[in-house]
Amino acid sequence: MDFAKIISTIEGIQHPAINASLTTLGILQNVDIDPNSNKVKATFAWPFDGIPIRDMLIASVTNALSNLGVGFEYDEKIMNEEEKQRFLQI
């Protein structure tokens, strides 16, 4: 399992409408690479409920990791006010 390649892949996934990565925006958080199960676990933090491109963003991460032969599990939450303000500033 190539941790560096997994991390660079995750950090390279861009938001389609904003010139920034999902990790920089705080949308993808708590990334945990489990070498025993060959899976990545993470949290999607949405700035508000009902994001129209939610499924597309999840698929972009799932597909990128799948191409590396790595599984992906995630949970979801709504950003707290501090996270949302940081997101809006970017």
Side-chain angles (χ1 to χ4, degrees):
M1 183 175 240
D2 186 344
F3 288 100
K5 184 152 184 96
I6 292 169
I7 291 168
S8 69
T9 297
I10 290 169
E11 290 177 346
I13 300 170
Q14 298 285 307
H15 188 290
I18 304 170
N19 189 25
S21 73
L22 298 184
T23 53
T24 299
L25 292 167
I27 291 174
L28 195 59
Q29 303 177 352
N30 306 324
V31 177
D32 180 43
I33 302 168
D34 183 351
N36 298 322
S37 66
N38 201 36
K39 281 188 183 166
V40 172
K41 296 179 182 177
T43 300
F44 282 96
W46 308 114
F48 51 87
D49 202 15
I51 299 288
I53 61 171
R54 172 192 168 273
D55 291 341
M56 180 174 49
L57 294 176
I58 292 170
S60 69
V61 176
T62 304
N63 294 338
L65 291 172
S66 177
N67 289 339
L68 297 177
V70 177
F72 182 54
E73 292 179 1
Y74 64 90
D75 54 11
E76 300 175 82
K77 71 172 197 160
I78 300 299
M79 290 180 177
N80 64 35
E81 200 52 43
E82 182 181 320
E83 292 167 330
K84 191 183 302 183
Q85 289 308 313
R86 188 173 159 271
F87 169 82
L88 293 172
Q89 287 175 355
I90 298 171

